Amino acid sequence: MRTFKKVKVCFLLIFVFLNIFYISPCYSLSFRENLFQNALDLSSSGKFNLALQAWNQYLDSYPDDAAGLSNRGNVRLVIGDVEGSIEDQNKSISLNPSEIDPYINRGIAEEALGLWSQAKEDYLLVISQDSTNFSALYNLANVEGSTSNWKKARDLFSKASLYNPGFAMARSSMALADFQLGNIDESEKELKNLIRRYPTFADARAALTALNWSKGESGKAESNWIAVTELDPRYSDEEWLKKIRRWPPEPIKDLMNFVDLK
């Protein structure tokens, strides 16, 4: 068994790939699988420098393993080697072009470089093969938002949450897109529903803080913000909101106005 692993700031989505082409004696297979699993465990536990070493060791012995290349590419992305990540995903795709996960992984790396059209192409290819792939839909929505197409982004976030109802970040992103588009009632309703179900979900509370402030409801904004500061202080960082979380501009403006008491 081989595993493709997709790494993001907020999520770890695991997919299983069965490699039917590899045949070896049992003792050799066991050794290979142990090497692979060790590298995967290190990746999953966040020990990325050790994971990179383990993937390098594995790929020194099995350089044509598409799953291993894709997993190493994800680790290289996390430690900041974006070009190396894309290189590994390219090799993985060339070895097994029918496997969709490396396209998503490559798209994430392309987003990190601001290569929006390339990332969009990868996500659209995945969606053409699997229209319910919520990860590709969510990532494509982020690309559309990053290029200021908030109506398209809103619809894609909605689809991602439809195909994975527990995908809270997709629902929060949809509400933020509604906020940006002026659909304030819809945005507020969704954010309140999210907070009711996930009381410690900082993104929704921060978004509701901004929305409350935009409506002049300073008391409600303060109440939500107290929870946000305890859960995730990054929401007071405007650059993080713009470049990493990638909120729409209107919610960012209102939240920063609240933080600065403007």
Side-chain angles (χ1 to χ4, degrees):
M1 180 179 292
R2 299 287 181 270
T3 309
F4 282 88
K5 192 171 180 58
K6 192 159 46 258
V7 179
K8 289 200 70 177
V9 172
C10 300
F11 308 101
L12 293 177
L13 303 174
I14 300 175
F15 298 84
V16 177
F17 169 67
L18 299 178
N19 187 338
I20 62 174
F21 302 105
Y22 177 70
I23 301 173
S24 69
C26 292
Y27 67 85
S28 179
L29 179 63
S30 177
F31 175 73
R32 180 175 182 173
E33 292 297 335
N34 285 338
L35 283 178
F36 189 97
Q37 190 61 49
N38 176 59
L40 192 62
D41 290 343
L42 289 168
S43 302
S44 300
S45 61
K47 299 175 182 177
F48 297 116
N49 289 326
L50 291 174
L52 180 59
Q53 295 176 27
W55 286 120
N56 287 341
Q57 179 185 6
Y58 178 81
L59 289 165
D60 283 343
S61 299
Y62 310 103
D64 294 331
D65 187 293
L69 284 162
S70 186
N71 278 291
R72 186 177 69 175
N74 292 329
V75 171
R76 294 174 82 173
L77 175 61
V78 171
I79 65 176
D81 182 9
V82 185
E83 290 83 0
S85 175
I86 292 174
E87 180 183 355
D88 276 347
Q89 302 303 343
N90 286 340
K91 289 178 181 178
S92 179
I93 289 167
S94 68
L95 288 165
N96 189 3
S98 64
E99 173 58 51
I100 64 174
D101 297 325
Y103 293 98
I104 298 178
N105 296 338
R106 185 172 67 181
I108 294 168
E110 289 162 343
E111 284 189 72
L113 294 176
L115 301 175
W116 310 123
S117 60
Q118 292 92 322
K120 183 175 181 178
E121 184 178 344
D122 277 333
Y123 299 142
L124 286 172
L125 184 148
V126 172
I127 293 167
S128 71
Q129 298 182 38
D130 177 8
S131 62
T132 66
N133 190 299
F134 60 87
S135 181
L137 288 164
Y138 177 81
N139 291 329
L140 179 58
N142 277 325
V143 170
E144 295 291 0
S146 295
T147 53
S148 300
N149 296 318
W150 289 107
K151 179 62 172 66
K152 288 183 179 179
R154 192 264 177 214
D155 293 342
L156 288 162
F157 285 133
S158 178
K159 287 183 179 180
S161 63
L162 174 66
Y163 296 129
N164 184 359
F167 196 171
M169 191 61 77
R171 292 175 57 189
S172 187
S173 296
M174 180 184 71
L176 283 160
D178 272 327
F179 190 163
Q180 175 67 25
L181 293 166
N183 305 325
I184 302 301
D185 290 343
E186 293 89 337
S187 178
E188 185 173 16
K189 180 179 179 181
E190 184 61 42
L191 291 170
K192 286 181 176 179
N193 286 339
L194 277 169
I195 292 168
R196 189 176 299 115
R197 184 169 182 181
Y198 308 106
T200 60
F201 186 26
D203 198 74
R205 284 195 176 275
L208 191 56
T209 299
L211 191 148
N212 291 149
W213 186 256
S214 73
K215 294 174 64 178
E217 299 171 343
S218 58
K220 292 180 180 179
E222 290 283 358
S223 178
N224 279 300
W225 187 245
I226 290 171
V228 174
T229 57
E230 294 176 352
L231 293 167
D232 193 338
R234 293 177 297 178
Y235 283 88
S236 62
D237 184 342
E238 185 173 0
E239 286 304 300
W240 180 83
L241 284 172
K242 288 179 179 177
K243 296 180 179 180
I244 305 300
R245 177 57 186 93
R246 286 191 274 167
W247 268 22
E250 284 301 313
I252 291 176
K253 181 191 72 176
D254 286 318
L255 186 59
M256 291 302 103
N257 284 341
F258 166 78
V259 170
D260 297 332
L261 296 178
K262 292 181 179 179

